């Protein structure tokens, strides 16, 4: 349902390398916004609950092999299959805090050597976030953190390439947060930025599309 006053939720994306702290910070943001009475949901991509998501999950845990282009398109399809629900939620006034989005899609696939523009193409027309929060951490620091799991991509050499690809995607509207600071400090900074955007969206800032 649309809100009469055009008061919509904000679409907030957290991005960063593996082990940059996105997931912990996303759930803290959720409690923070809920605590202030803003209807909020925490989403993440890949969304492993759908059948496409299960194919992605099997690939990530090395239970299946897929051509690089194929998995790229599955990640994108996984966003497309959630896009109308996403729009409904935002328009009904729910703020979405989303752990990874199209930027992960392009950064990880172009880090494998796929063409940058080719990687961006299937994302054209998806809803654009109101805010991208990039948790900036050197790949070496991320690697020191509790060790990577056994999933694909979780290797220092590869994460260095991903960091470069994120760099190429960055635009001036991104908020870059130093991910090496104490968790509480990062959370404080995120809260401040996010509140600004939540109010702007409530005042009716229109939704836009990628890119
Ligand atoms: N990933 C995630 C991609 O390669 N492309 C995408 O479009 C998305 C959303 O999936 N290492 C990669 C980045 C991660 C991996 O994500 C699993 P997570 O946040 O660890 O569940």
């Amino acid at each position: 349902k649309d809100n009469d006053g055009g008061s919509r939720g904000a679409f907030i994306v957290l991005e960063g390398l593996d082990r940059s702290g996105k997931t912990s910070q996303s759930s803290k943001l959720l409690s923070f916004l809920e605590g202030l009475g803003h209807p909020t949901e925490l989403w993440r991509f890949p969304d492993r609950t759908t059948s496409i998501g299960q194919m992605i999950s099997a690939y990530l845990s090395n239970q299946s092999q897929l051509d690089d282009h194929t998995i790229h398109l599955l990640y994108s399809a996984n966003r497309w299959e959630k896009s109308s629900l996403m729009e409904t939620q935002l328009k009904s006034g729910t703020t979405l805090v989303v752990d990874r989005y199209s930027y992960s899609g392009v950064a990880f696939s172009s880090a494998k050597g796929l063409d940058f523009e080719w990687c961006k193409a299937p994302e054209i027309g998806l809803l654009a976030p109101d805010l991208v929060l990039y948790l900036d951490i050197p790949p070496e620091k991320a690697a020191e953190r509790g060790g990577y799991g056994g999933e694909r991509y979780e290797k220092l050499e590869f994460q260095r390439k991903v960091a470069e690809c994120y760099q190429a995607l960055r635009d001036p509207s991104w908020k870059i947060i130093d991910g090496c600071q104490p968790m509480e400090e990062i959370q404080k900074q995120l809260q401040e930025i996010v509140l600004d955007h939540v109010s702007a969206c409530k005042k009716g800032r229109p939704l836009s599309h990628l890119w």
Side-chain angles (χ1 to χ4, degrees):
K1 58 178 170 36
D2 277 17
N3 278 350
D4 293 341
S7 157
R8 66 167 179 91
F11 176 12
I12 298 159
V13 167
L14 278 88
E15 285 285 358
L17 297 181
D18 289 308
R19 310 292 295 148
S20 58
K22 292 179 308 309
T23 305
S24 325
Q25 294 294 345
S26 305
S27 50
K28 282 173 196 247
L29 268 185
L30 171 72
S31 343
F32 170 72
L33 290 169
E34 281 181 335
L36 292 175
H38 297 291
T40 308
E41 286 181 11
L42 181 54
W43 284 32
R44 67 178 310 148
F45 288 106
D47 177 338
R48 303 189 193 210
T49 64
T50 68
S51 50
I52 292 171
Q54 283 162 25
M55 292 173 71
I56 296 172
S57 190
Y59 167 83
L60 282 169
S61 57
N62 284 300
Q63 288 166 299
S64 71
Q65 310 302 322
L66 289 168
D67 159 74
D68 292 344
H69 302 81
T70 310
I71 183 66
H72 180 77
L73 295 172
L74 287 179
Y75 281 119
S76 185
N78 187 227
R79 284 183 278 281
W80 278 107
E81 67 180 338
K82 303 294 290 189
S83 64
S84 61
L85 181 59
M86 181 176 261
E87 187 163 357
T88 309
Q89 296 300 69
L90 290 168
K91 288 186 171 167
S92 75
T94 302
T95 284
L96 302 180
V97 173
V98 184
D99 184 355
R100 297 191 183 283
Y101 195 57
S102 303
Y103 313 96
S104 284
V106 178
F108 279 78
S109 291
S110 58
K112 295 174 182 172
L114 298 190
D115 179 76
F116 191 70
E117 295 304 323
W118 186 88
C119 290
K120 287 176 78 174
E123 311 295 317
I124 296 173
L126 281 172
L127 282 181
D130 296 297
L131 173 63
V132 178
L133 300 164
Y134 184 78
L135 294 189
D136 197 16
I137 177 173
E140 295 72 22
K141 271 270 159 56
E144 285 166 14
R145 289 190 170 174
Y148 290 132
E151 287 211 322
R152 254 179 233 266
Y153 313 140
E154 297 182 341
K155 301 275 180 312
L156 178 56
E157 224 17 75
F158 186 72
Q159 298 284 321
R160 285 198 179 109
K161 289 189 190 145
V162 174
E164 282 171 23
C165 295
Y166 267 126
Q167 191 77 38
L169 270 173
R170 259 187 212 189
D171 78 48
S173 70
W174 286 26
K175 303 290 178 196
I176 314 296
I177 288 96
D178 176 2
C180 296
Q181 305 173 92
M183 290 247 281
E184 300 70 35
E185 186 53 38
I186 297 175
Q187 183 59 205
K188 239 173 59 192
Q189 295 173 11
L190 294 181
Q191 289 175 354
E192 202 171 308
I193 303 169
V194 160
L195 276 187
D196 273 358
H197 282 75
V198 168
S199 346
C201 294
K202 277 202 167 162
K203 285 179 195 139
R205 182 209 276 174
L207 275 165
S208 61
H209 296 83
L210 291 178
W211 286 92

